[in-house]
Amino acid sequence: MKWDALEEEPCSLARTIGVIGDRWSLLILRECFLRTRRFEGFQSALGITRHLLAERLKKLVRQGVLRRIPYQESPKRHEYILTQKGLDLYPVMMALVHWGDTHMVDERGRPLLHEHRKCGKMFDPVMVCSECGEPLLAKEVHTHPGPGARPASAKLPAGKPAKAKTPKHAT
Amino acid sequence: MKWDALEEEPCSLARTIGVIGDRWSLLILRECFLRTRRFEGFQSALGITRHLLAERLKKLVRQGVLRRIPYQESPKRHEYILTQKGLDLYPVMMALVHWGDTHMVDERGRPLLHEHRKCGKMFDPVMVCSECGEPLLAKEVHTHPGPGARPASAKLPAGKPAKAKTPKHAT
DNA sequence: AATTGACAGTTCGTTTTTAGAACTGTATGG
DNA sequence: CCATACAGTTCTAAAAACGAACTGTCAATT
């Protein structure tokens, strides 16, 4: 499978993975949420090779996740800042962080705590149903093919186990 | 940076990425939530090379995300099923799917819709504060170093931009 | 005037990962 | 006896990532 093909798949998860589903992109995005904006900032914070960093930034810009904005002329310099599309990845980041907080902490405990300004309390992120507000459990969610579905397309929960005979990934 | 080092970093996001932050693992997990359990099922659904699939499954089992359970003797055969730790990745998956639904759909619309059994409606997942129930915005979240923090450790929002001088990634 | 340093990349040779295809081995069905 | 299902393993070629050095512009020093 070529990775570019992921974006064509009739599966929103696959498409998202095609954009941000590699380790460096996710780490770069973490830095973005941490207010890092410049090439050197990303490079020194992550230890990524400059070559890869340049490539990943280009891709994220191309995908509309980051915007490249000049912050000085003379030697033209740019900053990379999150677009709304990028900011919308916040729930993804929080979900990843929370899972790590729950399952990957060492004896010392969480590396950091989150405070919700609105209520002033330390909190955990919880994923709920937009309609009734109840926390979501995989078992309580049923999926239906949407308008963009294709016959053998992938869904999140439920759906046949793709019983063997499929010659390749469903298209 | 060696990828194994990610799990040691004082950052829950990095640790999570160390476990599930590569494309194939995420796709394998998608299949798990789709009720795929067997080697051939994963292979034919994803088109992943058998070699890599074996490796990724091994890693996910080692990490406690999947459990390898015998379902027949004679030729010993096993199924891979999600542990609780694995099931807890549901919010991550939903967050990824929802981002794709929002930003990566084509003209035809979403590949699939989600129905919440509890309320019977089609829904979107929303990430809220566990304390007050309000939707989370990056701007409204402030982070504090937790017990497992280290001086130059990474946080999610807020925190200095890791101002240049850092020789490598913070450890 | 020449040097150094910050910044944002690019280039290039080496190492590591992945892809792709074939092969191993047990067992059932015909 | 042969084909097929299943779950891997092995091997080589191709692709991606690493590491280190290099390019180029400009400001501030020496």
Side-chain angles (χ1 to χ4, degrees), chain A residues 16-139:
Chain A
T16 301
I17 291 173
V19 179
I20 57 149
D22 69 293
R23 287 153 154 136
W24 283 126
S25 296
L26 252 1
L27 255 6
I28 287 169
L29 256 356
R30 174 190 81 181
E31 291 305 313
C32 289
F33 278 102
L34 279 163
R35 318 268 186 264
T36 298
R37 300 156 120 74
R38 302 183 185 176
F39 195 90
E40 293 294 317
F42 290 110
Q43 206 281 319
S44 63
L46 298 175
I48 184 176
T49 63
R50 308 176 74 77
H51 178 58
L52 254 203
L53 175 58
E55 229 192 34
R56 289 288 186 274
L57 287 173
K58 237 175 252 168
K59 178 174 183 185
L60 289 170
V61 168
R62 200 167 56 239
Q63 296 283 359
V65 172
L66 298 180
R67 203 191 320 273
R68 189 157 170 275
I69 299 186
Y71 69 91
Q72 73 171 39
E73 289 300 312
S74 35
K76 276 215 172 187
R77 293 280 182 268
H78 303 82
E79 296 191 309
Y80 296 88
I81 68 158
L82 290 164
T83 60
Q84 186 57 49
K85 187 170 173 179
L87 284 167
D88 286 350
L89 284 166
Y90 192 64
V92 171
M93 298 288 149
M94 284 305 274
L96 290 166
V97 168
H98 185 233
W99 190 83
D101 277 344
T102 308
H103 295 288
M104 304 295 293
V105 288
D106 55 31
E107 341 65 56
R108 309 208 319 298
R110 300 185 176 188
L112 77 152
L113 307 171
H114 303 270
E115 178 190 342
H116 192 210
R117 283 271 166 70
K118 271 203 165 172
C119 67
K121 300 200 183 111
M122 298 299 174
F123 72 97
D124 283 324
V126 180
M127 194 147 264
V128 303
C129 168
S130 59
E131 304 307 305
C132 69
E134 288 293 306
L136 291 171
L137 283 311
K139 326 276 165 156

Side-chain angles (χ1 to χ4, degrees), chain B residues 46 82 84 107 122 141 168:
Chain B
L46 298 175
L82 289 163
Q84 187 56 49
E107 340 66 55
M122 298 298 175
V141 174
K168 271 287 180 182

Side-chain angles (χ1 to χ4, degrees), chain B residues 79-153:
Chain B
E79 297 191 309
Y80 296 89
I81 67 158
L82 289 163
T83 59
Q84 187 56 49
K85 186 169 174 180
L87 284 167
D88 286 350
L89 284 165
Y90 191 65
V92 171
M93 299 286 149
M94 284 305 275
L96 289 166
V97 168
H98 184 234
W99 190 83
D101 277 344
T102 307
H103 296 287
M104 303 296 291
V105 288
D106 55 30
E107 340 66 55
R108 310 207 320 297
R110 300 186 178 188
L112 76 151
L113 307 170
H114 304 270
E115 178 191 342
H116 192 210
R117 283 270 167 71
K118 272 202 164 173
C119 67
K121 300 200 183 111
M122 298 298 175
F123 72 97
D124 283 324
V126 180
M127 193 147 267
V128 303
C129 167
S130 60
E131 305 307 306
C132 70
E134 288 293 306
L136 291 172
L137 282 313
K139 326 275 163 158
E140 298 174 352
V141 174
H142 186 72
T143 57
H144 306 272
R150 259 184 292 176
S153 75

